[in-house]
Amino acid sequence: MTKTIDSSIENVYAGDRTEMKNEELKQLRKRLSKEQQEIKYRRFFGNKAAVFGLIIVCTVIFLALFAPVISPYDPLELDTVNRLKSMSTEHLFGTDTMGRDVFSRVMYGARISLTVGFTVGILSGFFGMGIGLYASANAYADNILMRICDGLKAIPSTLLAITLMAVLGADLKNVIIALTVVNIPNMARLARSRALVIREQTYIEALRCLGAGRLRIVWRHIAPNIISPIIVQVTFVFASSIITEAALSFLGAGVPVPLPSWGNILNEGKGVIYQAWWIVLFPGLFTALTVLGLNLLGDGIRDFIDPSSK
Amino acid sequence: MAESILKVKDLCTSFNTERGRLKAIDGVSFEVHKGEMLGIVGESGCGKSVTSQSILRLYDEKSLAKYTGEVRFHDSSLLDLPEKEMRHVRGEKISMIFQDALSSLNPVFTVGNQIMESLLIHKSITKKEAKEKAIQLLKDVGIPDPVRRFYQYPFELSGGMRQRVMIAVALACEPELLIADEPTTALDVTIQAQIMDLIVEMNKRRGMGVMLITHDLGVVAETCSKVIVMYLGQIVEEGLVTDIFDHPMHPYTIGLMESVPRLDSKTGERLHQIKGTVPLLNQIPEGCRFAPRCPHATELCRKKMPEFLEVSDTQKARCHRINEI
């Protein structure tokens, strides 16, 4: 591999030419980046925990995507004759208080839980990073923004989410908004603290020596340096949002009732836990597994994207 | 004498600190001519780096630093330029290389990207042209396999290679003045020699002025034509290399020369050292700043700050007793 690359460099530079053939350059670049990609993939797939996490997350995503195909029943269909039926070949995870198929409800619940988790992770990562970077570059805005973040962080996050839900009303969209607001302060803090560290590095000073403007430094040079902890944090927020959403739904302040989310199912099952423990067990198990998978994956991603970590 | 590029006159830089306003450099004046290599030497903390960074106004002027005096680059006064125009001076007209080449390169970008960066900031050229120029630059600074290196990240290169890349970045826009702030300190001796050769070559080939900041007197003797010796924010002696090395006048310079290990020194003989340490900036002595550590100090030295006296046409020293020592 290396040998062929070396010889192609010689070709490019044969006879000490300064002009380059673009075709050859492109091919060379492709091969080089492919080589690096291979190293990276090996680094990621050599990490067993990360691969395990990836498998879990992919499975859950697969189940959520194909919920309509996989589920044997309509998750909302009532069947009062078959209430609280135990697990059987007909009802894999049994049935709930109104005779709905728990398996189907858990599959559809995965859709809602993942949507909430993913959207909240991405949105809070995006806004948190923007706010954090802006704060790190502007001392005046920093004071104001960080005091707001401190204020939001002073309230326990679940309580804050419940309050926001009470104000906004129970709705899937509002769950996402509430959880995003709850998670932004942490994200902004993280982005800001990382940006402040990077800002003091010699290479930022060197860039200033090159005449780079403030905007260019912040967005083009500091941002890519802080992105890896942000991405890792996004996966953790993804995981914690699934839990918080479940908690909100469990308390009745989350996704409105007929829609199956893992928290909703838990909530409905809690009254009959001694007669029908399966209603609580399966959504709980799925929540725990998904969160575990996301956390393992988060650690793996960190090692994967940071070019200097080995 | 060649045309003067940079003229610094009475430059003072002071910093706001918890202990009040401290003057890190106090009335520094010198000139750099086209194609000239000027060495600035002195102990740690004597203001060498502050001088160079003040020329580019790298310290935050809103809260931290205050500059007075005059810095003339050709016809423009750098201390009065608005920040926006100052940016065009940095990197394009005057560029700088730092001591630690690893931390001077952004770890998340490829080497090539970083060389292109300065070209893309200052010149209106396409990415493709910038790329070709960058590879040419890598070749100029003596990096083998420039195309391969172009796509590598800083952590994949050795220390000497990184310093070469830094030099390529600094030279990208063909500046008229290069400030090299201890460019070889972090490198081993063989690589040091190579890097210095490279800087000298660029200096000769491009007619670029170089300000070499270092505490390695050997390097200065070999490469520079003029030398400035700094102590506690002031220039204590300046002159041609031959002046300073053959007949140093200021007791501090003499002390520095004697502190260099020599091949002909007797075995078992202890290396000379200048007694004491550089005083803190808030405890600057009255009178001559070197007086507390000077073996020749008199009552007058402790009371009155000496003038910067001409010893010959080319040499100047700040000492009351130049004629006696």
Side-chain angles (χ1 to χ4, degrees):
Chain A
M1 187 85 189
T2 10
K3 231 177 188 175
T4 50
I5 286 169
D6 280 345
S7 64
S8 56
I9 286 167
E10 271 161 35
N11 287 338
V12 172
Y13 267 95
D16 211 32
R17 274 177 301 151
T18 47
E19 68 190 88
M20 263 158 301
K21 285 180 189 161
N22 253 321
E23 284 298 297
E24 282 179 63
L25 246 182
K26 253 181 214 162
Q27 278 188 346
L28 183 67
R29 177 172 198 173
K30 247 184 219 161
R31 245 181 295 167
L32 275 173
S33 65
K34 206 177 154 199
E35 203 179 67
Q36 284 190 337
Q37 288 303 317
E38 273 170 18
I39 295 171
K40 278 188 169 180
Y41 282 121
R42 227 175 293 138
R43 198 194 306 158
F44 183 77
F45 287 107
N47 183 346
K48 292 213 174 65
V51 175
F52 184 60
L54 185 69
I55 291 172
I56 296 177
V57 173
C58 283
T59 314
V60 177
I61 290 174
F62 177 82
L63 293 178
L65 276 179
F66 293 98
V69 186
I70 299 166
S71 308
Y73 300 91
D74 182 341
L76 302 177
E77 190 189 75
L78 305 180
D79 182 7
T80 35
V81 183
N82 291 315
R83 291 173 65 225
L84 302 177
K85 278 273 156 20
S86 180
M87 293 156 292
S88 63
T89 43
E90 257 170 75
H91 297 284
L92 222 48
F93 293 174
T95 61
D96 69 0
T97 46
M98 292 183 232
R100 291 172 295 197
D101 181 46
V102 176
F103 180 75
S104 308
R105 284 182 71 72
V106 169
M107 293 304 110
Y108 275 91
R111 290 189 140 189
I112 289 177
S113 293
L114 289 184
T115 310
V116 170
F118 183 74
T119 324
V120 169
I122 295 292
L123 286 181
S124 60
F126 183 77
F127 288 113
M129 192 165 145
I131 292 171
L133 275 175
Y134 186 68
S136 78
N138 184 329
Y140 186 67
D142 184 33
N143 255 324
I144 296 171
L145 289 170
M146 287 306 120
R147 290 305 79 74
I148 295 174
C149 285
D150 287 345
L152 285 174
K153 278 174 76 173
I155 309 165
S157 56
T158 318
L159 210 59
L160 180 60
I162 292 173
T163 318
L164 284 170
M165 287 308 295
V167 175
L168 297 168
D171 181 21
L172 184 60
K173 184 186 83 208
N174 292 343
V175 173
I176 291 171
I177 294 173
L179 291 181
T180 306
V181 171
V182 167
N183 281 305
I184 282 177
N186 276 325
M187 211 60 111
R189 277 276 176 190
L190 177 74
R192 174 180 170 273
S193 68
R194 288 287 302 176
L196 288 180
V197 172
I198 302 292
R199 203 183 63 174
E200 299 303 320
Q201 299 291 312
T202 323
Y203 55 84
I204 299 301
E205 203 184 330
L207 272 166
R208 303 218 301 124
C209 281
L210 287 181
R214 178 174 275 203
L215 277 179
R216 193 184 188 100
I217 288 179
V218 170
W219 296 109
R220 207 180 123 75
H221 291 273
I222 298 184
N225 272 295
I226 67 168
I227 196 116
S228 69
I230 293 286
I231 288 180
V232 174
Q233 191 65 21
V234 162
T235 60
F236 295 147
V237 167
F238 189 163
S240 76
S241 298
I242 289 178
I243 296 183
T244 321
E245 182 275 321
L248 284 180
S249 299
F250 184 79
L251 295 168
V255 180
V257 173
L259 282 175
S261 92
W262 291 338
N264 271 346
I265 308 172
L266 279 170
N267 185 24
E268 285 163 8
K270 74 173 190 290
V272 289
I273 193 164
Y274 290 110
Q275 298 103 302
W277 46 267
W278 52 86
I279 306 176
V280 177
L281 176 72
F282 291 106
L285 207 62
F286 267 78
T287 311
L289 264 178
T290 312
V291 170
L292 173 72
L294 280 168
N295 281 320
L296 292 178
L297 184 64
D299 288 339
I301 290 176
R302 181 182 45 208
D303 299 341
F304 179 64
I305 44 181
D306 195 351
S308 56
S309 82
K310 277 183 189 162
Chain B
M1 180 67 58
E3 173 199 1
S4 145
I5 319 174
L6 182 81
K7 207 169 192 173
V8 178
K9 213 176 154 199
D10 276 333
L11 178 67
C12 297
T13 304
S14 53
F15 294 110
N16 272 329
T17 67
E18 287 167 6
R19 284 183 235 131
R21 189 162 270 286
L22 297 181
K23 264 191 183 173
I25 53 172
D26 192 0
V28 167
S29 310
F30 61 89
E31 244 179 276
V32 185
H33 297 96
K34 202 167 177 226
E36 179 182 63
M37 258 184 109
L38 171 74
I40 301 185
V41 295
E43 276 167 294
S44 303
C46 70
K48 300 174 300 220
S49 300
V50 176
T51 306
S52 61
Q53 304 201 8
S54 299
I55 291 171
L56 284 175
R57 275 170 49 201
L58 288 177
Y59 299 108
D60 179 21
E61 279 158 87
K62 268 188 211 141
S63 55
L64 180 69
K66 194 168 166 256
Y67 310 112
T68 55
E70 200 185 343
V71 179
R72 272 203 170 275
F73 180 74
H74 289 297
D75 291 324
S76 53
S77 165
L78 296 189
L79 293 185
D80 302 325
L81 280 187
E83 178 65 22
K84 215 173 169 188
E85 283 172 47
M86 194 62 212
R87 258 191 249 146
H88 288 290
V89 174
R90 294 183 194 132
E92 194 180 354
K93 306 273 166 51
I94 305 180
S95 52
M96 192 159 168
I97 39 183
F98 289 89
Q99 188 182 129
D100 187 352
L102 175 59
S103 53
S104 306
L105 291 167
N106 193 338
V108 300
F109 287 116
T110 59
V111 162
N113 250 317
Q114 304 195 44
I115 301 174
M116 281 163 62
E117 186 73 5
S118 117
L119 289 167
L120 291 173
I121 290 172
H122 296 295
K123 309 253 150 129
S124 48
I125 54 174
T126 63
K127 281 209 161 164
K128 207 184 128 208
E129 287 167 332
K131 185 197 261 177
E132 282 172 17
K133 183 98 204 282
I135 292 178
Q136 182 59 45
L137 275 161
L138 281 172
K139 203 157 156 267
D140 285 350
V141 296
I143 289 181
D145 270 6
V147 184
R148 186 193 179 93
R149 300 299 173 206
F150 184 90
Y151 295 115
Q152 284 187 321
Y153 287 94
F155 75 92
E156 295 175 277
L157 303 182
S158 69
M161 203 84 96
R162 280 182 216 138
Q163 194 58 282
R164 282 173 195 269
V165 170
M166 273 314 293
I167 293 174
V169 172
L171 295 181
C173 290
E174 299 179 3
E176 290 173 66
L177 178 67
L178 177 73
I179 302 176
D181 191 348
E182 310 202 7
T184 57
T185 313
L187 305 171
D188 68 58
V189 194
T190 31
I191 308 296
Q192 264 185 31
Q194 290 174 14
I195 296 291
M196 280 321 300
D197 284 349
L198 176 64
I199 293 176
V200 172
E201 192 199 321
M202 293 296 159
N203 161 255
K204 294 236 168 76
R205 208 202 300 168
R206 304 194 177 197
M208 168 183 73
V210 177
M211 259 173 78
L212 179 71
I213 296 169
T214 179
H215 42 232
D216 189 337
L217 291 171
V219 167
V220 171
E222 256 172 59
T223 56
C224 297
S225 47
K226 255 180 18 184
V227 188
I228 286 174
V229 182
M230 284 188 74
Y231 182 75
L232 212 56
Q234 284 185 330
I235 296 180
V236 292
E237 185 161 5
E238 86 170 65
L240 299 177
V241 163
T242 44
D243 294 332
I244 301 281
F245 281 85
D246 295 344
H247 41 89
M249 298 307 283
H250 195 281
Y252 178 65
T253 318
I254 298 171
L256 280 184
M257 297 297 165
E258 284 172 355
S259 311
V260 179
R262 306 174 73 95
L263 282 177
D264 55 3
S265 61
K266 285 186 211 117
T267 345
E269 193 183 354
R270 284 189 72 114
L271 196 60
H272 176 80
Q273 59 174 25
I274 301 176
K275 296 218 162 45
T277 52
V278 184
L280 295 176
L281 279 176
N282 57 348
Q283 296 161 0
I284 289 177
E286 202 187 337
C288 174
R289 296 191 168 184
F290 188 57
R293 299 172 71 188
C294 180
H296 310 287
T298 61
E299 220 29 56
L300 177 68
C301 298
R302 290 188 195 97
K303 290 255 167 61
K304 193 169 163 269
M305 166 83 74
E307 297 287 312
F308 202 33
L309 299 170
E310 271 188 29
V311 183
S312 67
D313 288 347
T314 49
Q315 192 176 9
K316 278 173 157 186
R318 192 185 288 277
C319 181
H320 286 302
R321 304 186 61 192
I322 27 176
N323 296 324
E324 299 157 48
I325 299 166

